[in-house]
Amino acid sequence: MAGSNHGHTPAAWTGATICFIGFCVAGVFMVAANPLGFWAGMAIIPIGGVVGLAMKAAGLGMPKEPESLTRARAAAGQKQPEAQTSEGQTAKSHAPEAQTTSS
């Protein structure tokens, strides 16, 4: 996750905060047995999603990755080096070798 910036944008934080406030409002009014307040809190929750998407569309979200970078990552994932053992041999060369006998 060190290379990821997932969720660390103003759009994500704002949307999540508004949704959290909606859950809190709905929870308080549910305990208080007030259905109107509960449904008001439930109405706040999708507003958080809409605000987050609007902020992302305005450029405050995560930028899209260029196609060249996506292809480079895919190519790098296919080129895995062979693992080496403590004796310096590659992991693929552990098959028993045929022994020759001298006469």
Side-chain angles (χ1 to χ4, degrees):
M1 291 294 283
S4 176
N5 198 19
H6 178 74
H8 298 284
T9 63
W13 280 102
T14 303
T17 301
I18 293 172
C19 288
F20 177 72
I21 290 169
F23 277 114
C24 290
V25 168
V28 167
F29 281 105
M30 181 173 51
V31 172
N34 185 337
L36 184 61
F38 169 77
W39 288 111
M42 293 300 286
I44 294 172
I45 295 168
I47 292 171
V50 170
V51 168
L53 289 173
M55 289 179 70
K56 181 180 177 185
L60 295 172
M62 197 68 169
K64 290 219 177 233
E65 193 172 76
E67 183 65 30
S68 59
L69 184 58
T70 305
R71 281 185 299 219
R73 284 184 199 220
Q78 293 173 354
K79 297 178 185 175
Q80 294 294 326
E82 292 181 357
Q84 290 194 351
T85 62
S86 59
E87 293 87 29
Q89 298 174 336
T90 61
K92 292 183 179 178
S93 64
H94 283 288
E97 297 178 10
Q99 293 181 356
T100 59
T101 57
S102 57
S103 335

